[in-house]
Amino acid sequence: MIEQGRGVKVNKAMAAACYDKAQSCGYEAAGPAIGALAFAAGQQWEAKAAAETGAQALADVQQAWQNYQRALEENHPGAAEKIRVLGLLLGRAMEAQGEDEEAMDCYRVAMEAGSQDALLQAARLCADAQRAAFDLAEACRLYRQAVKAAETAEAQAAIRAEWESRKARVPLENRIDGLVAAMEDQMAKANFYYFGEKLSMPLETAMKAYGRRAGVNPGDVVLLCDSTHSLFWGQGEEGFLITGDGRFISSLGIRVSLDELGPVKYCDEELVEIATGTVLARFKGEQEEDQKFFKLLNDLVLLPQPGK
């Protein structure tokens, strides 16, 4: 009665509150009514926003967004499409204001509702080293998700190319930071890859074995691989070092910037640059963590067309 004004003044807010209370008491039929009210309220706020400009229009769209989210919770028809459209719109508005966290929140909700555009926009934001939302591993994950969601081979190829282009814009030092952060998240229990507090003991051995000859300052090293796969004696005597500015130093005598290396592969217990066949490191035995590291290195650091 309150919703339709039967015998009383129409009061949508009070009607919604009544439906909420009924739903909390187990009255299932209240759900569709709540969804319908929320969707109608969202439409009203959208119409109001269309007549406004600037901050007021944005505030109205945000009100519409909140109502459409409530409608979506009740699976109201049309709510998902509204979320996809407004999520992208609000996300871009938040980006323009430098509010990256809020932008990502909007994109995530729109992504969950099936927006490929919001997914790509979130990926671009995370791939921008100048933004607070910069997270190279997350950008890579989102681009990969976008590739899977793309409907044609051409679209998939375009998204892959965009990712590689965006990655190439990220300074090498930031890509190395992203690699180490991803390893801390995904390879914290690795036995033969050392970074952070784990570096100290094998680094001293590696410096004596080959690091000093290459002119490496131990304070510059952020990652060490022990290719001997030693758990006790000889840790760090063979393998490679990576410095914070992206230099790759191998016990085989390889000294090169990672910006000058193309993608690599693991083949017959060797780390090999695919394009040239150059052997960068040799391993004693095969370990699953080696494959995991090479994938991260290819995904986050190495470029398909390095600057030789």
Side-chain angles (χ1 to χ4, degrees):
M1 292 192 303
I2 298 173
E3 177 187 355
Q4 300 172 358
R6 295 178 183 173
V8 294
K9 186 177 180 180
V10 174
N11 189 326
K12 300 288 186 182
M14 184 176 292
C18 291
Y19 284 131
D20 279 335
K21 186 172 182 179
Q23 188 180 52
S24 68
C25 293
Y27 184 60
E28 294 182 2
I34 292 171
L37 277 174
F39 191 84
Q43 290 178 308
Q44 291 175 350
W45 281 110
E46 261 198 288
K48 184 174 181 295
E52 304 282 359
T53 59
Q56 184 58 55
L58 180 60
D60 292 342
V61 172
Q62 288 172 322
Q63 289 289 340
W65 165 256
Q66 291 173 8
N67 279 280
Y68 287 137
Q69 283 183 285
R70 186 69 182 92
L72 184 61
E73 290 175 4
E74 301 300 336
N75 296 313
H76 187 80
E81 177 59 25
K82 290 292 187 179
I83 289 297
R84 289 192 288 270
V85 172
L86 292 194
L88 185 62
L89 187 154
L90 281 173
R92 285 173 170 164
M94 295 298 102
E95 270 196 66
Q97 294 179 359
E99 299 176 10
D100 288 5
E101 184 176 347
E102 291 78 4
M104 287 298 297
D105 287 342
C106 293
Y107 292 145
R108 288 189 185 100
V109 175
M111 286 157 50
E112 289 173 2
S115 173
Q116 176 81 337
D117 289 335
L119 173 56
L120 284 169
Q121 199 64 26
R124 291 165 187 147
L125 183 57
C126 288
D128 189 341
Q130 304 302 314
R131 303 295 301 230
F134 175 64
D135 183 333
L136 200 59
E138 178 66 1
C140 181
R141 186 189 71 80
L142 291 172
Y143 270 109
R144 190 176 291 118
Q145 185 177 334
V147 168
K148 290 180 180 179
E151 296 181 351
T152 66
E154 291 79 5
Q156 291 179 335
I159 293 169
R160 289 192 186 97
E162 179 179 316
W163 160 239
E164 293 298 344
S165 174
R166 296 268 175 174
K167 182 173 72 172
R169 299 179 201 175
V170 177
L172 179 56
E173 292 85 350
N174 294 108
R175 279 180 271 143
I176 296 301
D177 289 342
L179 172 66
V180 174
M183 293 183 70
E184 289 172 345
D185 181 51
Q186 301 178 37
M187 297 183 63
K189 296 182 180 180
N191 292 314
F192 311 113
Y193 289 83
Y194 301 87
F195 42 88
E197 295 180 355
K198 296 167 61 178
L199 260 175
S200 57
M201 187 178 70
L203 179 57
E204 183 177 348
T205 303
M207 289 301 297
K208 290 178 181 179
Y210 61 93
R212 287 199 180 93
R213 290 200 308 271
V216 177
N217 183 332
D220 295 338
V221 177
V222 296
L223 190 151
L224 180 153
C225 168
D226 172 30
S227 65
T228 67
H229 292 159
S230 300
L231 290 174
F232 301 103
W233 305 111
Q235 290 178 332
E237 287 184 353
E238 297 176 20
F240 55 83
L241 307 171
I242 293 178
T243 62
D245 60 1
R247 285 173 291 152
F248 178 94
I249 300 94
S250 165
S251 59
L252 296 182
I254 305 292
R255 306 173 191 176
V256 65
S257 167
L258 288 173
D259 260 348
E260 298 175 356
L261 280 180
V264 298
K265 66 178 180 179
Y266 183 86
C267 182
D268 296 328
E269 299 184 3
E270 292 179 338
L271 173 61
V272 180
E273 184 183 21
I274 296 172
T276 64
T278 301
V279 176
L280 305 171
R282 290 192 174 93
F283 297 83
K284 294 182 179 178
E286 184 173 341
Q287 295 291 331
E288 184 179 339
E289 63 189 57
D290 294 322
Q291 298 281 10
K292 183 176 290 189
F293 171 76
F294 303 150
K295 186 176 189 309
L296 288 174
L297 186 65
N298 283 332
D299 285 348
L300 303 179
V301 179
L302 301 180
L303 306 176
Q305 297 178 330
K308 297 274 186 179

